């Protein structure tokens, strides 16, 4: 990708220069075209000057060869227009003591800015000032281009993630930077958080604007290669000149395409976007209300919706994505930890959230295991109750995570529904929810102190106690599972009762120890 960079001044900027102001400039025609770029300044008195121009020049003249010939004056303006000159500046004096009406009318018809200088003004000073500024701007543009390219190439070489690269682009552009796919869904953002949030809040309008012509600081560059487009990078509200904005966008696009070629994919960027959003929701570090614009910009329907928080174990994010697409369910999927994947479904208010969650889980099990039994039962789909308010979604995701973890810690062989909820994991689920409470932690340590302080507790007695309580205090089953004789098991149970100073035949004491053990295991997990 190459950038046709023209570091130019506008006609308006030239007229605002201190040296030009000394000549008392007055715009007499084409005032609406003052933002045209000035590529060069050219002093010319010849009537056929247009043939010597290549476009973008500001032409300075006294009109000495045009005086007294209205047709030559009109043709002079028309030739400048055909040559795509940026403006004509006429120094008033002997030839034209006042602005010539023929030239003014011709310039107005052509839309060519025409400026007259009311005070004598050395043209050499203007050409010197503008040319030196243009050269400096061109050098600065080339320097910036190389600086940005070097910085981004260094990040790619170092294996930096997408976010780090976007942060670098945002630091140069000093405005929000957004990467989208072709459907205008936001994949990543960078820049000052409050400014980014303002952009995302109005993203639908901005996406339409970014997809069309550039203007008002919205600068975009396409992402793609080998004839295939797959996204775009957008500088939102860039305050510098348009040429520099295009340079930054193009350099950023170059780097992102290279980043993809060296290992990234569009799909992985979408996964990163969902992961970042759902992780922030689960953690609670960022208030849910502040994350709403990000969710909307990521393509998740959020207005008047019912949200179903799910956590799935023992499958892959790609498989969950595939099932969502097959069922036509809108939602976000993100891996929270190894083997733990969050899913946030967004359903219409009139849809049956519980039935659709069950349908999703059933289809997932079928896809994962190829049928109704076998390995498919290893897939655990945990859910919280549906939420109608966005602010309640983080608590729902955390609840679903607790349920999934409780199932993972449960004894094998439990008969669980296709979608597991907090009510299905009973006491184990409650204890997991309360595991971080200091009172629960203190209770667990106090109840189990006699075992936890022993050197051989974890290696011998604690596992026996865990199995004994999980099997409903079934001594025969416990002995069988630990491959010991009944007398040997009795001796171990007696040792446990002695250390804990409890009677495990007493239901209340056994229940207290069981709760403490569940809390201990939840804390360890």
């Amino acid at each position: 990708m190459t950038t046709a960079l023209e570091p130019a001044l506008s006609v308006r900027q030239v007229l605002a220069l201190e040296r030009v102001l000394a000549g008392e400039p007055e715009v007499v025609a084409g005032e609406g075209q003052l933002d045209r770029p000035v590529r060069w300044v050219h002093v010319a008195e010849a009537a056929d000057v247009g043939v010597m121009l290549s476009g973008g020049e500001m032409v300075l003249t006294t009109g000495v060869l045009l005086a007294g010939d209205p047709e030559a004056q009109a043709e002079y303006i028309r030739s400048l227009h055909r040559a795509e000159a940026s403006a004509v500046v006429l120094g008033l004096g002997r030839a034209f003591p006042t602005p010539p009406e023929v030239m003014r009318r011709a310039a107005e018809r052509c839309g060519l800015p025409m400026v007259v200088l009311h005070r004598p003004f050395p043209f050499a000073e203007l050409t010197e000032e503008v040319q030196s500024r243009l050269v400096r701007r061109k050098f600065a543009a080339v320097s910036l281009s190389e600086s940005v390219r070097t910085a981004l190439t260094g990040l790619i070489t170092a294996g930096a993630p997408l976010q780090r690269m976007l942060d670098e682009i945002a630091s140069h552009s000093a405005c929000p930077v957004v990467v989208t796919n072709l459907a205008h869904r936001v994949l990543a953002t960078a820049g000052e958080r409050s400014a980014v949030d303002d952009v995302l809040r109005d993203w639908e309008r901005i996406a339409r604007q970014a997809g069309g012509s550039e203007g008002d600081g919205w600068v975009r560059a396409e992402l793609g290669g080998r004839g295939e487009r797959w996204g775009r990078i957008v500088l939102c509200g860039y305050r510098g000149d348009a040429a520099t904005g295009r340079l930054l966008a193009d350099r950023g696009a170059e780097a992102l395409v290279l980043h993809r070629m060296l290992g990234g994919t569009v799909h992985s960027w979408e996964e990163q976007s969902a992961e970042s959003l759902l992780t922030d929701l689960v953690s609670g570090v960022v208030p849910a209300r502040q994350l709403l614009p990000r969710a909307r910009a990521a393509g998740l329907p959020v207005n008047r919706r019912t949200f179903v928080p799910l956590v799935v174990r023992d499958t892959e994010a790609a498989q969950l994505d595939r099932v969502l697409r097959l069922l036509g369910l809108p939602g976000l999927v993100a891996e929270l930890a190894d083997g733990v994947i969050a899913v946030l479904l967004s359903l219409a208010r009139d849809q049956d959230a519980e039935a659709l969650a069950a349908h999703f889980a059933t289809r997932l099990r079928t896809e994962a295991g190829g049928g109704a039994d076998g390995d498919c039962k290893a897939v655990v789909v945990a859910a919280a109750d549906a939420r109608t308010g966005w602010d309640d979604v983080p608590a729902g995701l955390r609840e679903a995570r607790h349920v999934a973890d409780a199932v993972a810690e449960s004894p094998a062989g439990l008969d669980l529904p296709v979608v597991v909820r907090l009510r299905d994991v009973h006491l184990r689920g409650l204890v997991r929810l309360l595991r971080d409470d200091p009172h629960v932690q203190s209770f667990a340590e106090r109840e189990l102190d006699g075992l936890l302080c022993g050197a051989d507790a974890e290696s011998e007695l604690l596992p026996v106690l865990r199995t004994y309580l999980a099997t409903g205090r079934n001594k025969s089953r416990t002995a069988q599972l630990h491959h010991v004789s009944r007398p040997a098991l009795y001796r171990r149970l007696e040792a446990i009762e002695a250390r804990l100073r409890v009677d495990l035949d007493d239901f209340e004491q056994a229940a207290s120890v069981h709760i403490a053990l569940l809390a201990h295991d939840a804390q360890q997990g």
Side-chain angles (χ1 to χ4, degrees):
M1 183 184 299
T2 59
T3 302
L5 182 65
E6 296 290 344
L9 294 166
S10 68
V11 175
R12 192 187 308 277
Q13 289 172 316
V14 171
L15 296 181
L17 296 177
E18 187 175 348
R19 290 188 180 183
V20 180
L21 291 174
E24 297 182 11
E26 178 190 0
V27 180
V28 297
E31 190 167 4
Q33 301 294 322
L34 295 183
D35 290 320
R36 284 182 171 183
V38 176
R39 191 178 56 82
W40 207 245
V41 177
H42 192 67
V43 180
E45 300 291 355
D48 59 349
V49 64
V51 299
M52 296 180 282
L53 305 179
S54 58
E57 294 90 350
M58 174 180 276
V59 177
L60 312 180
T61 182
T62 62
V64 65
L65 300 181
L66 303 173
D69 189 344
E71 180 55 35
Q73 295 169 22
E75 178 57 27
Y76 182 82
I77 295 297
R78 289 193 295 266
S79 69
L80 293 181
H81 171 64
R82 288 193 297 269
E84 298 183 347
S86 60
V88 58
V89 178
L90 175 67
L92 299 182
R94 249 180 240 177
F96 293 102
T98 60
E101 186 62 18
V102 172
M103 294 179 70
R104 189 197 69 75
R105 285 199 306 267
E108 195 65 58
R109 283 195 298 269
C110 293
L112 176 70
M114 179 175 174
V115 182
V116 297
L117 301 175
H118 288 278
R119 292 176 62 86
F121 183 83
F123 285 167
E125 290 188 10
L126 176 56
T127 57
E128 179 185 4
E129 175 78 7
V130 175
Q131 316 301 42
S132 63
R133 284 176 178 264
L134 290 174
V135 170
R136 288 199 300 269
R137 286 165 70 90
K138 185 164 187 176
F139 177 78
V142 171
S143 177
L144 174 63
S145 175
E146 289 308 307
S147 173
V148 173
R149 178 184 279 123
T150 300
L152 293 177
T153 301
L155 290 174
I156 293 172
T157 303
L162 170 66
Q163 188 60 54
R164 179 66 188 88
M165 295 171 60
L166 293 182
D167 289 340
E168 183 71 23
I169 298 170
S171 71
H172 285 285
S173 62
C175 71
V177 176
V178 176
V179 173
T180 75
N181 61 14
L182 293 181
H184 302 300
R185 290 192 175 186
V186 174
L187 304 181
T189 63
E192 185 182 347
R193 191 71 259 166
S194 60
V196 171
D197 288 344
D198 287 342
V199 168
L200 296 184
R201 211 167 279 119
D202 197 21
W203 180 248
E204 288 186 10
R205 179 187 65 81
I206 292 173
R208 289 194 298 271
Q209 183 174 2
S213 59
E214 296 179 357
D216 298 328
W218 307 112
V219 187
R220 64 183 175 86
E222 301 299 322
L223 302 176
R226 300 174 183 173
E228 177 190 8
R229 289 170 52 242
W230 43 268
R232 59 176 55 89
I233 180 173
V234 186
L235 307 187
C236 303
Y238 179 70
R239 297 305 176 194
D241 65 86
T244 304
R246 285 195 300 275
L247 177 147
L248 290 171
D250 286 345
R251 291 295 171 264
E254 286 179 356
L256 297 186
V257 170
L258 184 58
H259 181 275
R260 182 194 182 196
M261 290 173 59
L262 294 179
T265 65
V266 179
H267 185 65
S268 71
W269 288 1
E270 290 174 339
E271 286 180 341
Q272 290 175 37
S273 175
E275 182 177 321
S276 172
L277 175 59
L278 290 184
T279 300
D280 285 346
L281 276 171
V282 171
S283 69
V285 173
V286 182
R289 183 59 48 183
Q290 292 183 21
L291 296 173
L292 189 58
R294 284 173 58 188
R296 184 183 289 111
L300 185 73
V302 295
N303 295 330
R304 298 187 58 78
R305 305 291 288 187
T306 296
F307 303 101
V308 182
L310 305 171
V311 170
V312 183
R313 280 184 171 273
D314 304 310
T315 188
E316 297 178 353
Q319 192 167 55
L320 293 172
D321 262 329
R322 184 168 58 255
V323 172
L324 286 180
R325 288 195 299 272
L326 286 172
L327 299 180
L329 295 175
L332 296 177
V333 176
E335 187 169 6
L336 301 180
D338 287 342
V340 180
I341 302 170
V343 181
L344 181 61
L345 301 181
S346 174
L347 308 176
R349 290 282 175 88
D350 59 355
Q351 290 180 293
D352 188 334
E354 192 161 333
L356 283 174
H359 185 41
F360 168 77
T362 302
R363 184 60 179 266
L364 177 63
R365 288 188 170 193
T366 302
E367 292 285 323
D373 47 42
D375 292 340
C376 63
K377 292 185 178 180
V379 178
V380 174
V381 179
D385 291 336
R387 265 61 174 174
T388 56
W390 177 257
D391 290 341
D392 298 327
V393 168
L397 286 167
R398 288 192 289 270
E399 179 182 316
R401 174 73 185 271
H402 281 304
V403 173
D405 290 344
V407 172
E409 294 169 3
S410 298
L414 288 182
D415 187 16
L416 295 171
V418 66
V419 177
V420 188
R421 302 180 186 275
L422 193 57
R423 61 178 177 265
D424 300 313
V425 290
H426 306 294
L427 181 60
R428 188 178 297 273
L430 174 64
V431 170
R432 277 204 62 83
L433 286 175
L434 300 176
R435 65 177 178 172
D436 294 327
D437 187 299
H439 295 92
V440 174
Q441 294 174 351
S442 176
F443 169 77
E445 291 176 5
R446 184 172 63 251
E447 288 289 301
L448 301 175
D449 181 61
L451 286 182
L452 298 179
C453 65
D456 60 342
E458 281 293 339
S459 62
E460 182 177 341
L461 298 183
L462 202 59
V464 169
L465 175 63
R466 186 178 291 112
T467 303
Y468 180 62
L469 295 174
T471 58
R473 294 182 294 170
N474 186 321
K475 294 183 175 67
S476 297
R477 180 63 176 154
T478 302
Q480 181 183 8
L481 290 173
H482 284 271
H483 307 290
V484 297
S485 64
R486 289 283 293 269
L489 175 65
Y490 295 156
R491 287 193 295 273
R492 294 181 187 182
L493 291 176
E494 289 171 359
I496 291 171
E497 289 179 324
R499 290 196 180 199
L500 298 182
R501 296 190 294 277
V502 298
D503 179 4
L504 293 178
D505 289 331
D506 181 272
F507 176 79
E508 183 175 340
Q509 294 183 51
S512 180
V513 173
H514 193 187
I515 293 171
L517 186 57
L518 290 176
H520 168 74
D521 289 346
Q523 291 159 14
Q524 297 301 309

